[in-house]
Amino acid sequence: MGGQVVTAVPWTAERVAGLAPDPASEKAGRALAAPAKWSGAGASEDAVWGFCQGSGKKPYQTCVELAEPAFRCSCPSRKFPCKHALGLLLSWAAGQVDTGPAPDWVHSWLAERADRAQRAEKRAEAAGPKDEEAAARRAGERAARVEGGVAELKIWLTDRVGAGFAGFERSGGEELRTVAARMVDAQAPGLAGGLRRAAAIVGRRDWPEALLGELSMLYLLGDAATRLDSLPGPLAETVRTRLGFSVETARVLESGERVSDEWLIAGAADEENDRLLTRRTWLRGRRTGRDALVLSFAPPGRPLDASLPPGHFLTAELAFYPGAAPLRALVAERGIPLPAPAAEGGSISDALAAYSRAMAADPWLERWPVLLSGVTPAEHAGGWCLSEKDGTALPLVPYAFPWSLLAMSAGRPLTVAGEWSQSGLRPLMCWQEDRAVRL
Amino acid sequence: MKAWEDLVGTALLGTRRRTLDPATQPRAVQDLVADHPDPAGQLLAAAAVLTTYRRAGRRALTDVRPLPVAAIDERPFVPPLARERLARLLAASHPDLLLEWLGIVAGTDYRVPPETLPLLAEAARSKAALRGPLVAVAGPVGAWLGQRNPDWAFLSAPPEESGDVWQYGSLAQRRRWLATKLADDPGAAREALRGSWKSEPADVRSDFLGVLAGHVSAEDEAFLEAALSDRAAAVRERAADLLGRLPGTRYGETMADRLRPLVRRKGRVLEVSVPQGERGEGTVRLRTLAAAAPLTFWTEFGPPAEVVRMTVEGCPAGVLRDSWATAALRQRDETWAQALIGADPGGRTTPPLLGVLSPGSQAATVGHLVSRLPVESFARLVHELPRPWTKELGTALLDWIARQDDHRLVSHAAVVIARAVPAACLRHPLATTRLTMDAGPWRRALTETLNFRREMYEELA
């Protein structure tokens, strides 16, 4: 090892734990994070590797390529990453893995990966331009189906409102889900999602007004969908996105608005919907003050994008998706995430004002990132809220587990990053003095 | 907001039954919805505008009152590796190792990062033994959390010096108060105990005698004698147990006097007559007498090692042996304990009697038992050895298990040994020698637990 310069900073344990596909894997991984479990473990700038004795005769061969990250393990687990990869990384994060030159089997795997990536690139080049005619035909067909769906939804909505919501409590949920299924058939998942949200409202306390709110916004969306051509370009893009048309990654990278900055990775929220895991990672540019949302999807048991660890800074160039209030973005060029011990947030009134401006541009906006400094958890009307010194406060979402936040504060102000929505603030991350903690 | 309520009311009834009165809507909304052909469309368009208004124009709460601020905790956080270990302990739910870890931290000047407190408090909610060390480790932030969350009230128990605890505290608080007071101011503690004795429920009386057990002294004789006629059997038994621990009591002498006419030695035979109980409970009575009489009574018939090996006639030998064991435990008589273990090493009284021995002779006796007992019996005995173990005992047991082959009972004993040997044993060769690849899973687990525990101590040193 003599004289080797160590440049790869081991990740924090929190960052490794964030990779776990489920809590059971995290637990199993922690149990394997002990030097006694590993033999021949080592780390280089690019990778961490080692042998772990399992129940069989032959120890498992585990290797993690750090950049992406990518995992390989000879164990039969179908989880990604498996507990061995997690255990190895946790051990490495705890400083228990020495730096050294990679053995041959690690080298050959890394080489194989690089080779495969190169071949894929070549194939993509060789494939040449796509069949544009067929693509245009498919797009036209889809547009027609969505148009049909929109027309059907508008008729159903006006009919419903004509008949009145009374009696809706009994069968309304079912009816809404049926219409949602028809919108799925019409390839308008955005409309289907809105109808399913409306179905969940029925029967709740104060449901008539919440339902009217939800359905009227769907009506507005349907109405806008029929006038796409006359809308300003960015708003038309927003309407298309809300309807459920996706924008190709390549197009975003090619023509999306580019913003370079040092981005604070302010928080991440994971959610499971229809057998699909979604991770929303919120970024805020230190110089530009721009907010950005990076989405990552995976089926349960598969890894979500873990390259954006909350509580870190990332020097990167983002490419924004088009829209009237552009928020969603892709990371186009990136550096290495570095821990961000402190974060600078704003006031509640600034956050609400920014939210109003965004709503004015995109009235279908569901969540808005907030980063508040000098707020203290407090009680209000039987629930919890985050309060500024003068008693101005935002309520937390009723389902938030407030105790980690409360323990971090102990009555003192802190900086909190979270998602603001109609149901309240969902805290994701907090900073107290020089400590960043994921909530 | 009248305009919005009007929209909701109309939507409930339906636009076919009730027309929306445009006049109730703001001017801007009226203009916007005017070009919608039908009343339902007008209502939906107006609702969309007002919904956006309402959502975008949401105001912050005002006049929220702040919470009190916790006292500042100046202690440093546990070092990074110990923090990592805490995460592992919480994830793996090993309450006994977590208890040990918290105990170590409680003995240092470290605190845990506050975000771990909610999980720790939840663990202590279901396992009360964690509460004491957690309160120390969690410090003022813990107390502050305990005031916010009723489930964690144990984190902010009132200061126990105050006399009120004895009158108004919970049973656990009163126990702690009594234990502290018995050590600091025994006179006041006894006075408090006697003062409220008659009004305490039976289980509480028995409980308090258990607290007194650690501090019992000659001054308690009269009090305990009175308790011998308590209404509750559990209290009577505890009182007899405590009296038996006091040397030279009148009670002990009385028991010996009653026993004397019942026992005779004839050569190698001990003849014992069963006393005539009032309700025919002869052997029960005999047990009580023999367990309560000072062991010096039996030396009238020979040295302990000889007496315990004599043939017993007139009563079941087991009754006598049990009573001697009880007496040896109460009187903490090492000679008798040694004699009884020697006479019946595999007996069920052997583990508690080992607890009476001094550390050195305890380890030696265990070493001796290993050679006299079959592996299975010894492995079972390990589970019942009174704790905490001394370094000598822990080393003797580790030496033993290091020599064992794979066996179900050995592997069970290994779990106990791994967890119960004191910190001073954690550098035993068993933990520091590299395992061969074919080592059984129990041996692997044993080494891992010993190493895990040693690292716990090292990280917090």
Side-chain angles (χ1 to χ4, degrees):
Chain A
M1 258 207 293
Q4 185 168 352
V5 186
V6 183
T7 46
V9 189
W11 302 353
T12 62
E14 284 88 352
R15 184 170 170 195
V16 178
L19 295 167
D22 51 45
S25 299
E26 183 185 338
K27 187 173 151 179
R30 288 201 189 274
L32 290 174
K37 304 273 185 190
W38 295 89
S39 57
S44 71
E45 214 172 304
D46 311 317
V48 187
W49 59 85
F51 294 95
C52 185
Q53 185 64 51
S55 48
K57 267 261 174 286
K58 221 177 146 203
Y60 296 128
Q61 250 184 337
T62 312
C63 180
V64 180
E65 192 235 346
L66 293 168
E68 197 171 328
F71 312 94
R72 171 177 272 195
C73 184
S74 60
C75 79
S77 169
R78 298 174 65 154
K79 288 185 175 168
F80 260 89
C82 66
K83 61 181 178 179
H84 304 103
L86 289 170
L88 180 64
L89 283 179
L90 283 167
S91 198
W92 173 62
Q96 295 164 343
V97 175
D98 290 334
T99 308
D104 286 346
W105 63 274
V106 173
H107 264 308
S108 57
W109 181 55
L110 293 180
E112 193 187 308
R113 273 186 55 77
D115 201 37
R116 208 167 349 152
Q118 228 170 25
R119 277 206 308 272
E121 209 169 295
K122 281 219 181 88
R123 259 200 314 276
E125 274 168 29
K130 279 180 280 181
D131 186 345
E132 280 176 16
E133 208 175 302
R137 196 182 61 238
R138 277 198 302 277
E141 280 166 12
R142 162 119 193 242
R145 295 184 76 157
V146 172
E147 205 177 306
V150 165
E152 187 187 345
L153 177 66
K154 284 183 77 178
I155 292 169
W156 180 83
L157 280 171
T158 43
D159 194 43
R160 251 290 129 226
V161 169
F165 292 163
F168 215 61
E169 258 166 309
R170 281 191 309 280
S171 56
E174 195 53 45
E175 190 178 335
L176 282 161
R177 275 186 287 271
T178 311
V179 186
R182 290 214 295 279
M183 291 307 118
V184 173
D185 292 342
Q187 293 184 297
L191 298 176
L195 287 159
R196 279 195 292 263
R197 267 202 307 279
I201 288 170
V202 177
R204 231 171 54 181
R205 197 179 50 79
D206 78 350
W207 68 268
E209 66 171 298
L211 183 68
L212 179 62
E214 201 65 53
L215 294 184
S216 67
M217 294 314 288
L218 275 174
Y219 180 82
L220 183 68
L221 183 56
D223 204 36
T226 57
R227 296 186 284 123
L228 271 180
D229 295 342
S230 61
L231 296 178
L235 183 58
E237 293 280 11
T238 293
V239 171
R240 285 175 56 82
T241 305
R242 296 295 172 195
L243 286 168
F245 286 97
S246 52
V247 183
E248 274 178 53
T249 308
R251 202 189 120 201
V252 177
L253 289 174
E254 228 165 72
S255 56
E257 179 196 6
R258 294 283 186 132
V259 181
S260 285
D261 204 337
E262 190 177 319
W263 300 90
L264 171 70
I265 305 165
D270 292 353
E271 211 169 75
E272 190 181 329
N273 275 320
D274 297 332
R275 306 282 300 148
L276 188 71
L277 287 171
T278 306
R279 171 168 294 169
R280 294 187 294 272
T281 305
W282 298 100
L283 309 178
R284 171 163 297 181
R286 202 184 217 178
R287 280 192 308 277
T288 57
R290 274 291 283 268
D291 287 303
L293 167 66
V294 177
L295 291 178
S296 153
F297 305 97
R302 304 295 294 181
L304 282 157
D305 175 28
S307 61
L308 298 171
H312 285 64
F313 268 121
L314 180 74
T315 304
E317 186 173 63
L318 302 189
F320 282 83
Y321 281 72
L327 192 59
R328 188 175 170 195
L330 293 171
V331 183
E333 311 272 346
R334 73 172 81 203
I336 295 168
L338 296 170
E344 197 61 41
S347 70
I348 286 176
S349 69
D350 290 345
L352 287 181
Y355 173 66
S356 302
R357 280 195 298 276
M359 281 288 280
D362 175 0
W364 301 282
L365 190 73
E366 282 176 58
R367 298 178 194 85
W368 181 251
V370 295
L371 182 60
L372 304 170
S373 276
V375 284
T376 317
E379 282 178 280
H380 179 77
W384 296 97
C385 62
L386 276 175
S387 159
E388 283 173 348
K389 212 172 171 188
D390 64 357
T392 308
L394 292 182
L396 298 190
V397 287
Y399 55 83
F401 179 79
W403 297 105
S404 319
L405 187 61
L406 273 143
M408 280 294 284
S409 147
R412 289 185 190 81
L414 24 69
T415 296
V416 178
E419 290 176 336
W420 171 246
S421 69
Q422 282 180 70
S423 40
L425 178 72
R426 175 175 173 189
L428 298 173
M429 188 87 201
C430 75
W431 290 261
Q432 168 78 282
E433 284 157 21
D434 56 351
R435 283 169 38 75
V437 168
R438 206 176 162 175
L439 299 166
Chain B
M1 188 173 166
K2 175 83 176 66
W4 174 247
E5 281 158 17
D6 204 37
L7 291 178
V8 177
T10 309
L12 264 172
L13 268 174
T15 45
R16 280 174 219 147
R17 254 167 283 178
R18 170 171 151 182
T19 11
L20 179 66
D21 177 8
T24 61
Q25 296 303 309
R27 181 81 229 161
V29 174
Q30 289 179 30
D31 293 345
L32 266 170
V33 304
D35 57 344
H36 279 267
D38 61 304
Q42 277 188 4
L43 184 138
L44 282 163
V49 177
L50 289 197
T51 297
T52 310
Y53 262 43
R54 285 158 56 85
R55 288 180 184 175
R58 177 110 176 242
R59 297 235 181 92
L61 305 169
T62 50
D63 298 328
V64 169
R65 279 197 300 179
L67 296 170
V69 179
I72 290 193
D73 198 337
E74 302 279 5
R75 298 175 297 170
F77 290 129
V78 293
L81 286 177
R83 232 184 92 185
E84 256 317 288
R85 188 162 309 269
L86 174 60
R88 282 164 72 183
L89 284 166
L90 285 170
S93 68
H94 281 315
D96 45 352
L97 290 178
L98 183 58
L99 176 62
E100 187 174 13
W101 190 88
L102 282 175
I104 307 171
V105 181
T108 66
D109 194 32
Y110 288 125
R111 61 172 164 144
V112 295
E115 69 273 18
T116 61
L117 290 176
L119 273 179
L120 283 168
E122 278 300 291
R125 188 155 77 103
S126 48
K127 192 162 166 72
L130 296 172
R131 293 179 189 177
L134 177 57
V135 167
V137 169
V141 176
W144 185 88
L145 281 174
Q147 284 158 12
R148 310 271 91 72
N149 189 335
D151 288 343
W152 305 337
F154 54 84
L155 285 175
S156 55
E160 306 203 342
E161 309 81 69
S162 74
D164 287 359
V165 169
W166 182 248
Q167 278 167 4
Y168 304 113
S170 68
L171 179 59
Q173 288 172 339
R174 298 183 71 204
R175 282 181 60 114
R176 279 199 295 276
W177 182 89
L178 183 61
T180 315
K181 210 71 175 171
L182 276 166
D184 298 346
D185 186 358
R190 290 191 163 83
E191 197 176 316
L193 188 59
R194 282 186 208 117
S196 67
W197 186 252
K198 285 204 160 58
S199 57
E200 309 285 1
D203 52 340
V204 175
R205 292 202 300 279
S206 156
D207 216 66
F208 286 165
L209 285 185
V211 178
L212 185 61
H215 307 268
V216 70
S217 80
E219 285 169 58
D220 296 312
E221 190 179 342
F223 173 66
L224 291 171
E225 273 212 46
L228 284 173
S229 50
D230 198 276
R231 290 188 302 282
V235 176
R236 293 199 297 274
E237 273 163 36
R238 271 246 158 96
D241 177 39
L242 262 53
L243 267 174
R245 297 178 189 211
L246 294 171
T249 57
R250 204 164 56 84
Y251 173 70
E253 290 313 317
T254 313
M255 295 297 115
D257 289 345
R258 290 187 187 160
L259 206 52
R260 200 158 281 114
L262 303 174
V263 187
R264 265 188 309 165
R265 174 173 179 168
K266 268 194 183 167
R268 301 282 309 152
V269 176
L270 207 53
E271 280 186 356
V272 182
S273 335
V274 174
Q276 293 307 305
E278 299 108 65
R279 293 181 296 266
E281 299 156 325
T283 50
V284 175
R285 183 87 191 115
L286 180 63
R287 263 181 212 276
T288 310
L289 292 177
L295 283 163
T296 47
F297 165 82
W298 299 96
T299 34
E300 293 170 16
F301 304 94
E306 191 181 317
V307 172
V308 296
R309 283 187 166 81
M310 286 165 77
T311 311
V312 176
E313 279 177 6
C315 82
V319 171
L320 222 46
R321 293 236 162 81
D322 285 354
S323 308
W324 286 331
T326 308
L329 286 171
R330 284 179 182 172
Q331 295 165 36
R332 305 205 66 77
D333 190 311
E334 199 171 338
T335 316
W336 274 86
Q338 199 76 262
L340 287 160
I341 294 169
D344 183 16
R348 67 189 159 79
T349 54
T350 295
L353 287 169
L354 279 167
V356 174
L357 305 184
S358 65
S361 77
Q362 197 182 42
T365 309
V366 164
H368 191 54
L369 285 175
V370 169
S371 57
R372 284 188 64 192
L373 292 176
V375 172
E376 293 80 3
S377 312
F378 187 79
R380 278 198 198 93
L381 182 138
V382 167
H383 293 261
E384 292 163 44
L385 287 174
R387 300 187 206 172
W389 298 352
T390 58
K391 184 187 177 192
E392 290 84 353
L393 179 58
T395 309
L397 290 167
L398 288 169
D399 289 343
W400 169 73
I401 204 144
R403 296 193 303 269
Q404 301 307 308
D405 297 323
D406 292 359
H407 185 289
R408 187 174 54 86
L409 291 173
V410 166
S411 71
H412 291 177
V415 175
V416 175
I417 292 173
R419 297 271 162 88
V421 294
C425 294
L426 296 171
R427 288 210 158 272
H428 190 274
L430 198 59
T432 49
T433 317
R434 236 190 138 70
L435 284 169
T436 51
M437 269 312 198
D438 60 344
W442 67 268
R443 198 176 283 278
R444 209 166 271 289
L446 173 69
T447 305
E448 271 164 20
T449 305
L450 293 173
N451 279 318
F452 189 96
R453 291 182 54 210
R454 191 186 61 242
E455 286 160 14
M456 265 172 36
Y457 283 90
E458 285 171 0
E459 285 158 8
L460 290 163

